[in-house]
Amino acid sequence: MSKNIDHVTVQMASTACLYNLTREESGTRIHPDSMRLAVHHILESMAKYPSNEQLQRNCLLILCTDKMLVEVNFDKYRCAKLVMECLCKFEDTSIVRMVLAIVSILAARITTEQTSSLASNRQYMTRLLEITRDKLMQRSTDCIMKFALSALWNLTDESPVACQTFTELDGISLVMDCLNKYEDIDDAEAKVQIQTKVVGLLNNIAEVKELREMLITRRFIDTMRNSLKSDSSEQRYFSGGILANLLSDSTNAAWDDLVAEYRSTESEVITAISHWYHPETAMVAYRCFRPFIPLLNSFTSLASQYWALWAVHHVCTKDPTKYVPMLTRDGVYECIVRLSMQSEDTSCSQVLELARNLHDFVSDFQNGSLNDQNLLPTTIETK
């Protein structure tokens, strides 16, 4: 492929051969270095012939496997850009499906700076929202709808620039329509999957202080409070995160006309979290804990502190080796220590007990004395 980059027929034949070689059992016998080299040539071919639909399809077919995208070391940012260019150029359903699957995976495996660069491209974001809007009009629950929402969710993660672009293109209105229009569909599993992706995406938006004014409305707050009662633990979790972020911004002028709603929402979030249970596996993965610092330092909103503590405790108890060092690295452990040392006059029993439980858990882990009794806080119901 490298010697015949100017010959499209050779590229076509070569990608067809690579597809067959990397499939199923034969693919498991290929050395990772050879796979990495193969991906390099695939990306070169995609860049050289961006308008050749069949060649692009061949390349996507090779790339669109978990083994290739997760296990092989290659330039994932370049790959993400090339497949997004492909998405903007072609309407073919199979191409759209493969691109969205690839982007939804790669977006979680590139740096936040690269994600911001990718998602701030208005052409890319416009195309993703266009696909989502088309599927919404059909009330479709197919994999394209799910992949599109996953891509939007991952691309806006810890990326204020991407979130800004999303809101400027009327993304909030679009995904709110998704919440409402999928509420009464017959496929309960698909409903939960779609609505969870939507609230996960909106949680990313709520983390951006400058964008919260768009969310602090009576209609939006009511929708999130209703979502907080969902049967899905993941949907409840992210809905709680949205409300926690909004409540932490108590001085936002948008709350001036919603004083009663602020107080009732604060109380409702605390009550809801006090009845949550920890699922056997982690509901979410975090790259860093920095977005939690404003919530943990929000002494005007105990609900914000409570949700942040619950979230941090949840992932730390599921994977302490990964997350406990992250607490110190990102400056979150200091916040936890400070909260655990408060008096009952300045906090609430749920926040105090969970902060102290988390502090003890981290200390036990660092001292090598962790045991099964440390894995769940006493303030959380278990089922």
Side-chain angles (χ1 to χ4, degrees):
M1 291 179 74
S2 61
K3 292 181 179 179
N4 295 276
I5 190 65
D6 293 326
H7 296 87
V8 67
T9 54
V10 175
Q11 299 300 308
M12 291 281 288
S14 297
T15 52
C17 290
L18 278 175
Y19 172 77
N20 289 312
L21 287 170
T22 56
R23 293 289 105 174
E24 300 176 358
E25 185 179 347
S26 61
T28 64
R29 298 197 295 268
I30 300 176
H31 193 278
D33 287 345
S34 297
M35 293 287 269
R36 178 178 55 80
L37 189 59
V39 175
H40 169 74
H41 290 309
I42 290 166
L43 299 184
E44 289 293 308
S45 190
M46 291 183 75
K48 178 71 174 179
Y49 301 101
S51 299
N52 189 309
E53 184 171 346
Q54 185 56 54
L55 180 60
Q56 296 290 320
R57 184 181 291 105
N58 286 1
C59 293
L60 292 172
L61 283 166
I62 300 168
L63 292 170
C64 197
T65 68
D66 288 340
K67 177 179 177 60
M68 192 71 79
L69 296 173
V70 177
E71 298 179 17
V72 180
N73 183 25
F74 61 94
D75 189 343
K76 293 179 171 61
Y77 175 56
R78 185 190 184 203
C79 180
K81 287 200 299 182
L82 286 169
V83 299
M84 283 303 301
E85 287 293 330
C86 189
L87 183 68
C88 294
K89 192 177 292 290
F90 303 111
E91 299 282 344
D92 178 77
T93 301
S94 64
I95 287 179
V96 171
R97 183 179 64 251
M98 288 188 288
V99 169
L100 292 175
I102 291 168
V103 171
S104 64
I105 293 173
L106 292 185
R109 288 168 170 76
I110 58 180
T111 67
T112 53
E113 292 79 14
Q114 290 171 334
T115 301
S116 295
S117 176
L118 197 66
S120 61
N121 184 310
R122 296 181 75 86
Q123 183 184 22
Y124 297 168
M125 185 65 77
T126 298
R127 180 68 173 124
L128 288 170
L129 293 174
E130 177 185 87
I131 292 168
T132 305
R133 188 172 289 107
D134 288 345
K135 289 297 178 180
L136 172 61
M137 290 178 64
Q138 305 166 25
R139 295 184 80 197
S140 171
T141 59
D142 68 6
C143 64
I144 290 181
M145 179 58 157
K146 295 170 186 175
F147 282 144
L149 289 172
S150 292
L152 288 167
W153 184 2
N154 286 332
L155 287 171
T156 53
D157 185 33
E158 295 182 42
S159 177
V161 175
C163 291
Q164 178 72 42
T165 303
F166 176 84
T167 58
E168 289 174 354
L169 295 171
D170 202 26
I172 293 176
S173 175
L174 173 62
V175 296
M176 287 297 288
D177 283 344
C178 289
L179 274 184
N180 296 326
K181 292 187 178 180
Y182 285 92
E183 181 62 32
D184 59 353
I185 62 172
D186 295 330
D187 189 337
E189 183 179 357
K191 169 188 168 181
V192 167
Q193 290 174 343
I194 289 172
Q195 292 189 332
T196 298
K197 293 176 192 298
V198 168
V199 291
L201 167 57
L202 288 170
N203 189 62
N204 291 342
I205 307 300
E207 288 180 357
V208 183
K209 184 178 179 65
E210 294 76 14
L211 302 178
R212 288 176 188 154
E213 187 175 358
M214 301 179 188
L215 305 180
I216 303 175
T217 66
R218 184 171 284 105
R219 176 174 176 265
F220 184 86
I221 298 297
D222 286 346
T223 300
M224 288 304 107
R225 287 171 67 167
N226 184 60
S227 185
L228 194 61
K229 302 169 186 174
S230 167
D231 292 334
S232 162
S233 56
E234 289 88 352
Q235 188 172 341
R236 293 195 301 267
Y237 173 80
F238 289 114
S239 300
I242 293 167
L243 293 171
N245 275 283
L246 301 185
L247 290 167
S248 72
D249 200 2
S250 60
T251 59
N252 193 308
W255 282 115
D256 291 350
D257 296 327
L258 299 171
V259 175
E261 284 81 358
Y262 183 96
R263 292 171 180 167
S264 58
T265 302
E266 173 87 3
S267 176
E268 192 168 323
V269 171
I270 292 175
T271 300
I273 298 173
S274 69
H275 291 88
W276 286 357
Y277 64 93
H278 281 271
E280 293 182 4
T281 58
M283 294 185 294
V284 64
Y286 288 107
R287 301 183 188 188
C288 76
F289 284 143
R290 285 188 293 274
F292 290 100
I293 294 178
L295 304 184
L296 294 169
N297 289 335
S298 177
F299 291 93
T300 59
S301 172
L302 294 174
S304 300
Q305 293 180 335
Y306 194 16
W307 181 85
L309 285 168
W310 196 95
V312 172
H313 187 282
H314 171 66
V315 294
C316 282
T317 54
K318 293 296 180 286
D319 191 355
T321 303
K322 174 182 177 180
Y323 288 111
V324 170
M326 195 185 293
L327 291 175
T328 303
R329 185 199 72 189
D330 294 338
V332 170
Y333 187 59
E334 297 175 9
C335 300
I336 294 168
V337 172
R338 186 163 55 249
L339 288 175
S340 69
M341 296 175 66
Q342 289 186 106
S343 68
E344 293 185 5
D345 295 335
T346 58
S347 186
C348 69
S349 59
Q350 294 98 323
V351 169
L352 273 177
E353 191 169 356
L354 188 50
R356 290 167 182 170
N357 186 287
L358 183 52
H359 177 267
D360 292 344
F361 175 88
V362 173
S363 297
D364 288 343
F365 176 78
Q366 292 174 334
N367 295 330
S369 57
L370 193 63
N371 59 59
D372 291 342
Q373 296 303 312
N374 300 109
L375 293 181
L376 287 175
T378 57
T379 53
I380 303 298
E381 287 189 352
T382 59
K383 294 184 179 179

